[in-house]
Amino acid sequence: MSKTLVILATTSATTTLEKDIKNEHTSRFLRYRGVPKCLLPISGRPALSWWYDTAYHIYEHIYIIATAHSYKHFERWASGHAFPKENILNSGFSQGAISDISFAHRVKDIAEDLCIVPADLLFDNSRGLRLLETLKQAKGNQIIYHIPEHGDDPRIQRITTEHGSGLLTKEDTENVKKSLICPLAYNMGSSSLKQLDSYLRLPDHQASDVSLSGSITIPSLQEDLLAFYETQEYVQTIEQEFVSAYGYLDPSVTLTDYLKTWEKLLDTNIPPRSPKTFPNHQSQPIITRSNARVGLMGNPSDGFYGKTMSLLISNFWAEVTLIPNPLTQVEYGSISILPNPVADPHLFSSIESMAVISQTDGYDNGDRLLQACCKVFFTHCQKNNIKIDVKQGFSVLFETNIPRQVGLAGSSAIITAFWKTLLKFYGVTDEDIPLPLQASLVLSAEQDELGISAGLQDRVIQAYGGLVYMDFEKQHVDQYGYGQYERLNIDNLPPLWLAYVADPKDSGKMHNSVRQRFANGEPAVVEAMRQFAQLTTDARDALEKRDHKKFASLMSQNFNTRRAVYGDAALDKANLRMIQLATEHSCVAKFPGSGGAVVGMWNGDDEAHRNQDLQELRWALEKEGFVFVEIQPKANDA
């Protein structure tokens, strides 16, 4: 029997529990401020989740009617329950339950009988007959309500209904109101659904909260529904017994009641966890690193179907620590991104400090890198039938000492380190996702998910480690989604050094105009990218012969070609000054990335003067505020 379930989450009145939480200013409850009562945790899960897990097996269609204020909360809840986002209906600001149901009826063109339950209904599916199954068997207009029995446990109440037929008189309705807090559920026949719009046009129709005897309050959605049922020609109640955690519906439930009675109500429904029942459980932290890189030749042609040579270096790195959730954690499957006090500050010593840090570091944060990485990883595994056990969650944090915004691949190092952590945690191997594809997926996290302008070079070298020659020939990239990569012998490299600016600027800005010029087919740009590719091939040959003089000459050509295409204004005075100082001290240098740093090597004629030249270069750079380091190549990134 086809049946539609509507979950009404449109009551406008704030419950006592929600008010109490808003008045609590401790860290424990701040995360629940503004959260609808039905989404507060009961035994570690939102109250609604406990019975939705049963509902979606029973009903063909389920809709949640929310308000403009609560919609985002339900949207977030839906993301964790495979609940279709289009089935969350935003009613704006509710004009009553009948108006909301009429809205759903019109928008979703509901033709069959409708089952209606309040969102903060809470019951124990594991005990007695199930409310949702009983409700689905109902036909026509039926009301299921609760009559408290003296001495019963206030948490778990027996449901008793009176059997009857014919018109539900006002006297019957008043008796119902006086004997219960509010009805549990309704069934509305398809013929009555068609009368909703006519009912709403009645001049005396209005929805309002109604106070009854004692401290009992009927929420407007319940009062509105009962008023509508009074107008129907045939209403019945079904005689059925089942067990329910009914009292949570009471809008006067306080925070004290919640902590004492409801917060852990269904703990007995959670089977104890053990390594035997969760064989894939992990207990040890996973720590991974991904190092900075320098582009030695060919960059920036990696973003233009060119060729590059890149080197991973040991000097700087990003490190990710994943801490698996313990078996005892209530929210065993949850994932938490822990803030990095330097990269993602949430605490500032003063408003002046906040302003200075915002001006210096900008507003981008590393949390979004981890979040995007998780999304790309999970989506790829899902689409390619790579089985991962997602029952266990984790906490994760990152640290990085890679200088920011100087073109050393700091952001991709964070994502790559986390990517490697996810591979280990979920037991995914390089056979499941080959290294070339991993690099492309990491790029996707930045480029497609976050809109960061980037090329494949950084992700490839951080996936492979060592020294890698990369060919991004267009036909191959278009066909496979990645280029052709070759590991080279790092022992053939000359000694290298790195210098970078103390006050860097956005490393992504330099690419913008050139990318558009390349897309437009500008001959000078197209030819420059061809030259970069050729320089890279020549550099590979020079290293194989250990011809360091030739390699130095190619580095100079790489820089000169880049300067001709980008222009001095784009390259920035500080970058050009580092190149000039290198030349003055018998060295050659080029940009290792998109700007803010230079990578260089000594190119003098008398080997006896090497150390002196490099020492004087270091002092000259440091005097003008630059940082100088000798590069330590890293053979791999394991």
Side-chain angles (χ1 to χ4, degrees), residues 368-597:
R368 66 180 188 144
L369 301 176
L370 303 185
Q371 190 173 340
C373 182
C374 263
K375 190 260 188 183
V376 170
F377 177 84
F378 175 77
T379 302
H380 179 80
C381 290
Q382 196 173 44
K383 287 182 177 179
N384 293 275
N385 297 316
I386 300 173
K387 294 182 179 180
I388 57 175
D389 187 345
V390 297
K391 295 185 183 70
Q392 184 181 15
F394 53 81
S395 296
V396 62
L397 71 154
F398 77 91
E399 304 168 73
T400 182
N401 55 28
I402 299 176
R404 63 179 184 83
Q405 300 293 359
V406 295
L408 298 181
S411 61
S412 67
I414 294 171
I415 297 180
T416 301
F418 188 35
W419 180 271
K420 294 177 180 179
T421 305
L422 293 175
L423 292 176
K424 291 182 180 180
F425 183 72
Y426 289 109
V428 178
T429 68
D430 292 347
E431 292 183 0
D432 297 320
I433 310 177
L435 281 177
L437 182 56
Q438 288 184 39
S440 295
L441 290 169
V442 170
L443 175 63
S444 173
E446 290 191 77
Q447 197 173 61
D448 300 334
E449 299 299 320
L450 302 175
I452 298 174
S453 178
L456 268 168
Q457 174 183 214
D458 301 357
R459 293 88 200 153
V460 172
I461 188 60
Q462 287 165 341
Y464 279 75
L467 177 66
V468 177
Y469 170 87
M470 311 172 198
D471 185 348
F472 301 103
E473 190 269 327
K474 187 177 188 304
Q475 184 176 348
H476 191 279
V477 171
D478 289 345
Q479 182 175 354
Y480 297 101
Y482 49 83
Q484 300 179 74
Y485 313 131
E486 175 188 350
R487 283 192 169 102
L488 303 179
N489 187 353
I490 62 173
D491 293 335
N492 290 336
L493 283 170
L496 299 167
W497 53 263
L498 177 75
Y500 57 92
V501 299
D503 184 20
K505 295 181 174 58
D506 186 355
S507 65
K509 291 179 180 177
M510 193 182 297
H511 284 212
N512 295 339
S513 63
V514 171
R515 187 168 299 279
Q516 186 58 53
R517 290 161 61 193
F518 181 81
N520 293 339
E522 184 177 319
V525 177
V526 173
E527 173 59 21
M529 298 307 161
R530 190 199 64 77
Q531 290 179 23
F532 285 133
Q534 185 60 52
L535 290 172
T536 306
T537 301
D538 293 344
R540 180 185 61 179
D541 296 340
L543 286 181
E544 288 179 353
K545 299 173 183 176
R546 297 183 67 87
D547 186 348
H548 293 170
K549 277 289 185 180
K550 176 66 173 177
F551 190 79
S553 173
L554 295 170
M555 287 183 72
S556 291
Q557 292 178 56
N558 199 128
F559 170 73
N560 292 333
T561 302
R562 185 166 189 166
R563 185 174 191 175
V565 172
Y566 283 88
D568 286 3
L571 298 191
D572 191 71
K573 291 181 180 179
N575 295 322
L576 295 174
R577 180 56 178 161
M578 286 187 285
I579 298 289
Q580 181 182 356
L581 289 173
T583 304
E584 292 174 359
H585 292 83
S586 302
C587 291
V588 295
K590 63 176 289 295
F591 292 171
S594 50

Side-chain angles (χ1 to χ4, degrees), residues 322-334:
L322 182 149
I323 306 169
N325 291 341
L327 286 166
T328 55
Q329 183 166 321
V330 174
E331 297 172 324
Y332 183 65
S334 67

Side-chain angles (χ1 to χ4, degrees), residues 182-201:
C182 55
L184 293 176
Y186 305 83
N187 194 77
M188 186 177 291
S190 56
S191 59
S192 293
L193 278 173
K194 298 175 182 177
Q195 301 177 37
L196 293 178
D197 289 348
S198 298
Y199 174 76
L200 290 170
R201 292 189 181 99

Side-chain angles (χ1 to χ4, degrees), residues 23 25 43 90 93 129 267 340 364 367 394 457 480 536 592:
N23 290 328
H25 300 100
S43 297
N90 190 336
F93 296 104
L129 297 175
D267 280 5
N340 179 300
D364 290 342
D367 287 359
F394 53 81
Q457 174 183 214
Y480 297 101
T536 306

